[in-house]
Amino acid sequence: MTKPEGAETGASPTTRRSTRINTKVQTAAPKASKKSTSKPAKASKSKGNVTEPSEDEIDEIEDDEQEVKVPSVRASRRVAVAKNTKGTQGSGSTEKARKNGKNTSRAVPVPSPSASEENEDEDEEDQEDQEESEDEDDADEEHELESSSFEEGDSGSDFEEPSPTRKAKATTPKKPRQSRAIDRIPIIKPRKSGTAKAPKVPKAPKTPKTASKGKKVPKASARVTNRSVEDLDDDEGQSELYDAVLDSQVALDLVVADWTSSYERSPDEAMLNLTNFLIRCCGCKQFISAADFGNQDEMVETLENVLIRYKETTANFDYPIVSKAKEFKKFKKNLLEFYTRLIQKVQGDILFDEVFMNTVLNWTISLSSSSFRPVRHTAAIVALNIGSSLAEISSELQQDLNVTNRQLATSQKQKAAQSKIKQLEKKVKESRTRKTSISKWSEDIFNSVYVLRCRDVDPLVRADCIHGLGQWMIANPDHFVATSYLRYLSWGLSDKAAAVRLETLRVLTSLFEIENQPNGLRQYTVRVIGRLVEMAVGESDTHARLGAIRVATLIHKHGQLEEEDQIQLSTLIFGANAKVRKSLAKFIKARVWEDEVENRMAGCELLAQGEGNVVKKDWVELKSLVCFLIKVGKEAEKNESATQDDEQANVTGTRLFDESKVGRIAMAIEALWSEIDVLKNWKSIAEYVLEDHTKLPGVSSSRKPRSLEDIYHLDDEEENVLLEIFVASLQLTLQPPAVPGFQKEKAKLKAQQADTESEVGGYCTNILPRLFSKYGVDASRIRTVLVIPQIIPLNVYMDLRIVTAYEELVDDVIKVFKKHSDPSVLNAAALTLRTMQSYEMLRTSHETKIEALGASIVDAFLTLVSQNPDFDVLDRTALENITTCLRRLEHLVKCTDVTTKRPRSTDQDPFESLLKVIRGYRGVSGQDAEILVSALSISFLWISWLCRGKATKYDQNADWTEDDIQELLNMRESLVTVVVDLATNDNANVDARVRRRAFQILGDLYWLFGGDMFHASKGPNRHRLYMTCPETTQAECERFLRSELDLWEEKVRQKMTALRKARAPKATLDGDMEHLQEDAQEDTTDEDKTLDIAELLEDERLAAEQIEQEDKYEMFGTVFSFMRQIMLKDFSMVHATAVIARYGRFGAEYDEGVKRVVTSIKAQTSEGASKLARDQKTDLFMAVCLSSLKESFERYMDGHVQSHHQVLQLTKVLSTAIKPPGFMQTTRAGIEQRQVWDLHRRGILYALQTISGCTMGEDRKKAKAIQFFDVLYHLPFATQANSEEVVSIQELIKSECESRLIVVGEDEVWSPLRTYQSKLDKMVQKAAAEQANAIKKAEAVAQAEETRMEDEQDKQGDVEMDAAADDEAERAPEKISGKKRQAEDIDDDGEGEDDEIGAENSGREGSSDAENTHVEQGRRRSRDGSVNETDDGPVVKEIKRIRVN
């Protein structure tokens, strides 16, 4: 074997290899520069100038190899080569370090050998394997540097993530050589991006090969390496695609262009990247390899394997297109835009090359059929988006084909050149072929994706399918706007998910916005219009309802909406939903102006030409609007099912319960305010109202009007509506609705509003007397007129100095109050009087008159009572007179104090007379029960006004006199006795309204006399009025409340049934609804059940809201009164179970009240003077929580509710209050850990007892009972995991199951119990981990304390040694002379040591500082345990000898 050249010249093998690799770099650099696009490779410019790789390039080589996970032997060889290359650059320093026995590698994690051993091993190795491995090493090293340069120039980064193919090839190691050096090589793991670089590793020896020295590297090896680089590019490509779509700032056109270029170079790799990109967009980070991608026959198995790995490695399946994360906000939009631009870019030869589209569709359709929702959903929207792009291309091809056909026909007709004709024929043939291909692909997508996914269990998938189909129809309406496709939109209108119905309506909106409608759409409109009107009237989802109205408006624009449907839609202008009313504004304007205004204006112009008068256009428009509202109002009264929101309207007029507003006419005018300009001209409306319409008898609808007066004439009903329009216009003028941007000109608008108020107020002061004079007799009209003083600024009377006119206005209002008995008129007049009392500057003008009004009404009531002392129910006249008088007094006493003036005509006590009326007419019912309701309300208000008067008479905190206290005490006790008898006792003959009102009065009394006004600090007399409710009364009140809630729940159930009937389609659409429902039933899963439950809950919520509106003053008054007494602690928290258990049943306001009750009783647990009292309250609170959960769950068990979702909602509310104090919850007090565990124990016992109580045939009931463990699962556990408590609960479950003979099965029914037990197991593990951590912390603390003690001892020893050293320094001369004498007597064996000691002693004599330094070094080394291994060892020994002496 020949000797290496390096050995002959004295150079080490390392130096020889460094020279060789430098030569190879020169050859490899030009190759890398050809592929570089972003950064040129560092290479020499001439053969004579050899450029060595820099240290950064070597680091890149090492980082790249670590990322690829190469075997440790090959990695260590390349690192050693790079290390030795650096050594060539600085050979002098390297050789010097080697001679000193130091390692030249950086941060090697293992001890490096000495220089001699390393050189010896390397020389021996080179002599053995130089011939076999020299060329192979050269090729490997050359290729590594070439790859590094290519990657550096192509991507501009240090390294790129390798593809799976490259990793697989790189991890196939060669057979390692058996050498002692290999044991020292550590395994290097790949580092992540952004982390520190891995340490370099010493080079490992190679296994000897049999190849000769001159053997070349096979080309196959180079090809393998090139494939690795290409695989790296594949992975880079799919990463770039995903990052581009994820980043909204990236220009997708450039990304599409780059991908197209890569497809032209290598179609297979580009399609692999595109497929893996789609899989990555599904949220899956598992990719398809090139081998699997090429095997199309096993496509399904490949995808299944990918998804299995994805499920196994992923815990959160929130995929990008539905994620709420910030970075995915625009991901879905960008993804679809990418595919749209991609199809547009490749619509030339690439699209029709039989490779691109076939590959895309095969993989996309396969992914869309996956059972995994993220993959199925993402692939479906991509496939449908591709179909939209294909539809656009098909439409363009059809247009080009039409043009080409015309050109061909023209050329043939004109006998053009054959070459031109052949060219056109070829173009026609090519266009038809391409159009056929696109049609085939579209049908594949439709049949394989849409038809399957439009029935998907996920409503989001179904909604996206509808959206995609709509895009197809917009892109190519000639082909896709057909019955075979439109039928799916009909099914979407009847989908059970509101999101799908809304998306279908959006698609229809886009279709009907097309000016030239296709014939298929016109035919489809006839079949679908009925369903659209039903949705506009009875749709449960507000957004879907608005969408249906928009579609109907567009249909009406095209003239396809029938008159009956128009009227039915117009009735919604009176609805309670403001958004619905607003959406109808444009439809109403078009409807009125087309059918009413234009016809009337045409007639007025003809009549005006003959009479020579000017047509009042505003009056014509107002007359048309009034007639339209009357027509629609009558239709609304007929159709009760379509006006469920308006059932609150008063039968005698158009007003709602809220008497402070005008009513539903006002709501309609508010919706039309921005669309109809004539409504803003309030002066013109006022003139029209003040016009005398009684001059003419009126014009019948059977004959044409003969003059303009006939057209302007209004009948009584029309005049009523116009008057309400006038008041609504005034109100909107004085309080205009907010407009966009009003904040910017707030000061300007405020000044304009002040001028408007002055103008309107001054104008109304002139017309109010005329309105009272004209409409004072008519109750329905004067009620509307009384609203005007409530909305205008009454201070204009003072500003204009017309106080006399104001006094006349007060007299007119009082006259109306005395004259009328209608409740709405009395309420409006009372509100007007209260508004007048709020103007202090006009007090002298109205105060005396209002007090006189109250005194006169009280005198009239006492007179009627004295005339009918027996309260005979059969005397209808006396009963009606007393009822009317009490009705006036009730409305007046709500606004003003009528107790200040004593009646002059009789000595009767008004309060006692009220109680006599209540006792006398106790048994009346129906309409006659109004007398009792009014008397009860007046009685409480009477006492309230007296208490307020006493508080005003005396100081706020002063005590009252004995006479005042005794008077109030007698009145209160009498009233309490009456209301308790009416509300709580079993009185079958007492009307329900009377009982509810009595119940509310009882709560009001405890609220009034249980407050701070009668606290002990106010004085002993006032404190005598303080009252608390007995427990028996509380129990009776709870029982009455439960009966009321049961009635309320029954109404909710009835309303929900009505809602479902109204929403259900009356007839199937296209005759295929049954087929769709059958298909849906076949796909029914647990998700379908979840959606059914969600729909059920939505129906219950809507029904509860309607019940809430109907019984606002009865049901809510009763319930909220009870809640208030609990929060004020007048009732015990035990009785809160009755209201808490009904959480989620009666609307949002009821639920908010329950939350406040829970918060209030939770706060009571922290009140108490002693810990025992607080613990008792806490135990009581926990018992209330459990009993509420049990009662709510039992209602689910009994079938009163269809789902236990409401129980879970209640559990979350209670959990917020039960949760014990922990991290960031230190303010929570009153709940201890043991009480939380006890709650779980009691809940477990209840659940198992219920389960064991089910018989053999009650499997359904048993399954429901097991679901109580879902409730326990959502209840909070103690913040600190206590293994003993958890184990005790587990043993409790086990023992109870054994004692009750309960066998827990493995089926789905027992999953709630297993889930609960799994949570307990996790808590045990958590407790064990916390205990182990606590032990470790304790050991660490003990060790730290021990270390601290040792340090203190060391410090103390150091102080003593320093003191001894100072003393020694002072006695140094004497000790040195003594040692010299001692040294003379030592034998010859110790001469060397004595000479050394003497030299050091003489050195100390020359330098005291040097001596102190050696002393300190010796003391430090002594503590470290090293004494004789350094040059300072003898000094330490000498110091010790000195100390001993």
Side-chain angles (χ1 to χ4, degrees), residues 246-264:
L246 187 62
D247 187 2
S248 59
Q249 303 298 326
V250 175
L252 294 178
D253 288 334
L254 298 178
V255 178
V256 171
D258 292 342
W259 186 91
T260 306
S261 300
S262 66
Y263 182 85
E264 293 173 352

Side-chain angles (χ1 to χ4, degrees), residues 420-450:
K420 182 178 180 181
I421 293 176
K422 290 181 179 180
Q423 184 179 2
L424 292 175
E425 290 176 348
K426 180 180 179 182
K427 187 176 180 181
V428 169
K429 182 178 180 181
E430 182 182 358
S431 298
R432 288 176 177 174
T433 303
R434 292 191 171 186
K435 191 172 182 297
T436 303
S437 299
I438 291 178
S439 299
K440 177 180 177 300
W441 296 333
S442 299
E443 289 298 322
D444 291 342
I445 296 175
F446 182 79
N447 296 327
S448 301
V449 179
Y450 183 86

Side-chain angles (χ1 to χ4, degrees), residues 245 277 281 331-339 378 382:
V245 172
F277 160 69
C281 292
F331 184 86
K332 182 178 180 181
K333 177 183 176 182
N334 294 341
L335 175 63
L336 299 181
E337 184 179 358
F338 167 78
Y339 275 97
T378 307
V382 169

Side-chain angles (χ1 to χ4, degrees), residues 145-163:
L145 289 176
E146 181 181 351
S147 300
S148 177
S149 300
F150 171 76
E151 293 165 8
E152 179 181 357
D154 185 56
S155 63
S157 61
D158 292 341
F159 63 93
E160 296 293 336
E161 182 181 357
S163 66

Side-chain angles (χ1 to χ4, degrees), residues 544-588:
R545 195 175 183 184
L546 299 179
I549 293 173
R550 285 194 295 269
V551 176
T553 304
L554 292 173
I555 294 175
H556 176 259
K557 181 180 178 180
H558 291 287
Q560 295 180 270
L561 194 63
E562 298 295 336
E563 176 70 18
E564 182 180 356
D565 296 330
Q566 295 179 21
I567 296 297
Q568 192 171 3
L569 282 175
S570 300
T571 57
L572 300 178
I573 197 66
F574 294 141
N577 194 322
K579 293 182 179 179
V580 173
R581 298 197 305 268
K582 188 68 176 177
S583 65
L584 275 170
K586 293 183 179 181
F587 173 79
I588 295 297

Side-chain angles (χ1 to χ4, degrees), residues 743-943:
Q743 291 289 349
K744 298 180 180 179
E745 301 179 355
K746 189 174 182 180
K748 182 180 179 180
L749 293 176
K750 186 176 182 181
Q752 294 177 356
Q753 191 63 24
D755 297 339
T756 302
E757 290 178 357
S758 300
E759 182 183 3
V760 173
Y763 187 85
C764 289
T765 56
N766 296 324
I767 66 172
L768 275 174
R770 297 171 59 185
L771 292 174
F772 273 98
S773 175
K774 183 178 180 179
Y775 301 122
V777 180
D778 191 339
S780 60
R781 298 178 185 179
I782 197 61
R783 176 189 60 197
T784 306
V785 174
L786 286 170
V787 179
I788 298 177
Q790 301 174 25
I791 59 179
I792 65 173
L794 296 179
N795 54 3
V796 295
Y797 285 96
M798 184 66 70
D799 298 338
L800 298 176
R801 299 183 179 180
I802 49 175
V803 180
T804 304
Y806 176 74
E807 294 177 352
E808 294 176 356
L809 176 63
V810 175
D811 292 337
D812 291 338
V813 174
I814 293 176
K815 186 185 300 183
V816 170
F817 191 85
K818 289 182 177 181
K819 186 175 183 179
H820 290 273
S821 61
D822 185 83
S824 61
V825 176
L826 294 177
N827 185 74
L831 290 175
T832 302
L833 294 176
R834 186 172 66 180
T835 303
M836 292 176 174
Q837 288 178 325
S838 62
Y839 290 88
E840 189 65 25
M841 63 180 65
L842 299 172
R843 180 179 179 181
T844 56
S845 301
H846 61 248
E847 183 178 16
T848 305
K849 296 181 179 181
I850 294 176
E851 290 179 354
L853 173 64
S856 63
I857 295 176
V858 172
D859 289 341
F861 167 68
L862 294 178
T863 301
L864 292 174
V865 171
S866 62
Q867 293 176 358
N868 187 21
D870 297 334
F871 301 107
D872 187 5
V873 179
L874 299 178
D875 190 352
R876 302 298 303 174
T877 303
L879 178 61
E880 292 176 358
N881 292 335
I882 296 176
T883 301
T884 302
C885 187
L886 288 178
R887 185 186 302 154
R888 291 195 180 97
L889 184 59
E890 180 185 5
H891 285 91
L892 185 62
V893 78
K894 291 178 181 178
C895 304
T896 185
D897 185 8
V898 298
T899 63
T900 54
K901 286 190 175 183
R902 307 295 296 179
R904 291 171 292 180
S905 60
T906 179
D907 295 335
Q908 297 179 8
D909 185 2
F911 187 80
E912 288 295 332
S913 299
L914 290 171
L915 297 182
K916 290 180 181 179
V917 170
I918 295 173
R919 298 187 187 99
Y921 292 106
R922 186 175 183 274
V924 296
S925 60
Q927 295 294 332
D928 296 338
E930 182 185 355
I931 189 174
L932 297 178
V933 174
S934 299
L936 287 170
S937 301
I938 297 171
S939 300
F940 172 74
L941 293 173
W942 194 280
I943 294 179

